[in-house]
Amino acid sequence: MTTTADLPVVVIGAGPAGLAAAAHLVERGIEPLVLEAGPAAASAVRDWSHVRLFSTWGEVTDPAAEKLLAPTGWTKPDAAAYPSGGDWAEQYLQPLADALGERVRLGATVTGVSRTGRDRVVDADREAQPFVVHFATADGGEERVFARAVIDASGTWTTPSPAGAGGLPALGEKTASERITYRVPDLEDPAVRARYAGKRTAVIGSGASAFTALATLADLAKDEPGTHALWILRRGISGSTFGGGTADQLPARGALGLAAKAAVDNGHADAVTGFRTEAIERDTDGRLILVGEDGRRLDPVDEVIVLTGFRPDLSFLSEIRLGLDERLQAPTELAPLIDPNQHSCGTVYPHGHRELSHPDSGIYLVGMKSYGRAPTFLAMTGYEQVRSVTAAIAGDIESADRVELALPETGVCGGAGLFDDPAADQADGEGCCTAPAPALVQIGVGASLPVATTEESSSSGGCCGA
């Protein structure tokens, strides 16, 4: 007779956190089944293969995964080198998926998770029922599998946040979709390069992705006259606008902000501050006009790159009893630890299975998805999460509770919630952002903007960042 303990643990998503979870389960003698919607492992990572990580190889591989890979002859890349997304996928994530073999099923899109025979309303005998996971196959079929536990590591890549400042798409955003992207463009691709060369492009966002887009457009402008960026910020320019700079304990992440600052200083980009997009209209030539909540209308642009973050897809979990924070859509116990209104990355406390638990026991959201709408998630966070969660599933509570996580301090860890607060914009304390009145700011060559100091990017302040 099959018991719940004989069933596999279903892992949703064959990305960094999902594959690491599978490796930890194998190490503990528990059979995983990884369901990946894409045609290959790490499909989401492959979508940004041209982008270089700001973490080194030493920070983006998981110990249990390395043990699983060792017998295959895999050699860990130089721990001090910085991989691109493509490097990460091809040199680590794909070999890890290969080592897991048939435990990874591709082209399997999860459409629903529930307790067997119990919708979310039913209490009777609920905890004794195994989970049932429904998924669609690449050929259009439908299947289901039963599981002793479910680890949702599906990430947030497929659900980017819109340009609209209120969290909803701006009016006209959907109809202008052919001129809008929600990803950092790969300007090494000739077709993509032609799309932006000699064009005026709006970049909406204030995090690492926006920095990367501004820097790459600035490089394009050096070779293609007429290429120019318009950087749209919902807050003002301050010393922390460009992140932690040289004070960032992840140097490559700090360098992104400095590259964005150079794009502005050298005249390749203009910054529009205090602008919250309400509508996207077209001029007579089909170009796009961004309209702000305050009625301002910006000069037309040819393209828009929206990099305002991501949000979790919770639709296939509607029959599961989840405990989620009403603001961040992160697990209730985790939310206060990662709230960008209160914390920078360096002040995120260690967390594991207890903070990731839900009213329905045995289901965990891990990796990017566990952070809900909170920004700036690091791979090392996900690896520690899955180590703790898999230990709890195995019944090793002592190990599960022994959570150790030290995150680098940074000035690139804030979120829109704090900075959209006018009171916070006018804060006068040390290490806080001071926003000028909304204005178009053109900063030419030689103009002086302060690079974030140690205090401004310090975890002790916790109120500045991108």
Side-chain angles (χ1 to χ4, degrees), residues 383-409:
Y383 295 153
E384 178 59 18
Q385 286 180 341
V386 299
R387 187 206 61 77
S388 174
V389 163
T390 54
I393 292 172
D396 185 355
I397 302 304
E398 180 182 358
S399 177
D401 284 342
R402 192 175 60 250
V403 182
E404 297 179 1
L405 180 65
L407 295 177
E409 293 180 0

Side-chain angles (χ1 to χ4, degrees), residues 14-16 36-53 84-90 93-94 154-160 181-189 192 209 212 307 310:
E36 165 59 44
S43 290
V45 174
R46 295 175 193 274
D47 280 351
W48 48 271
S49 60
H50 57 291
V51 178
R52 191 162 298 281
L53 280 71
S84 65
D87 296 334
W88 201 16
E90 292 301 328
L93 297 171
Q94 185 60 57
S154 58
T156 58
W157 181 249
T158 60
T159 47
T181 184
Y182 300 85
R183 309 286 189 259
V184 176
D186 180 4
L187 298 185
E188 296 299 317
D189 182 322
V192 176
S209 294
T212 302
L307 300 168
F310 295 85

Side-chain angles (χ1 to χ4, degrees), residues 267-352:
H268 298 308
D270 294 335
V272 178
T273 64
F275 191 92
R276 295 171 172 83
T277 307
E278 183 175 74
I280 299 177
E281 300 177 357
R282 292 183 185 269
D283 69 2
T284 54
D285 297 327
R287 301 174 80 201
L288 303 183
I289 299 171
L290 302 184
V291 183
E293 290 178 349
D294 57 5
R296 281 185 293 165
R297 300 168 64 85
L298 304 183
D299 290 339
V301 296
D302 300 289
E303 299 286 342
V304 178
I305 302 173
V306 180
L307 300 168
T308 54
F310 295 85
R311 55 187 59 177
D313 177 9
L314 301 169
S315 61
F316 60 84
L317 299 174
S318 62
E319 296 307 316
I320 291 295
R321 296 177 179 178
L322 298 177
L324 297 175
D325 180 74
E326 67 274 10
R327 293 173 301 158
L328 297 184
Q329 294 180 301
T332 305
E333 296 299 318
L334 175 61
L337 307 183
I338 62 174
D339 185 349
N341 293 287
Q342 304 294 330
H343 295 282
S344 71
C345 289
T347 63
V348 173
Y349 294 100
H351 60 275

Side-chain angles (χ1 to χ4, degrees), residues 390-453:
T390 54
I393 292 172
D396 185 355
I397 302 304
E398 180 182 358
S399 177
D401 284 342
R402 192 175 60 250
V403 182
E404 297 179 1
L405 180 65
L407 295 177
E409 293 180 0
T410 174
V412 195
C413 298
L418 172 67
F419 303 121
D420 286 348
D421 180 358
D425 284 345
Q426 297 170 10
D428 194 32
E430 182 180 288
C432 291
C433 303
T434 303
L440 171 64
V441 182
Q442 182 166 357
I443 305 168
V445 178
S448 176
L449 269 182
V451 177
T453 65

Side-chain angles (χ1 to χ4, degrees), residues 102 175 236 251 301:
E102 294 183 354
T175 57
V301 296

Side-chain angles (χ1 to χ4, degrees), residues 210-228:
F211 293 164
T212 302
L214 289 166
T216 55
L217 287 171
D219 285 341
L220 180 62
K222 297 172 186 177
D223 300 325
E224 299 286 349
T227 303
H228 196 76

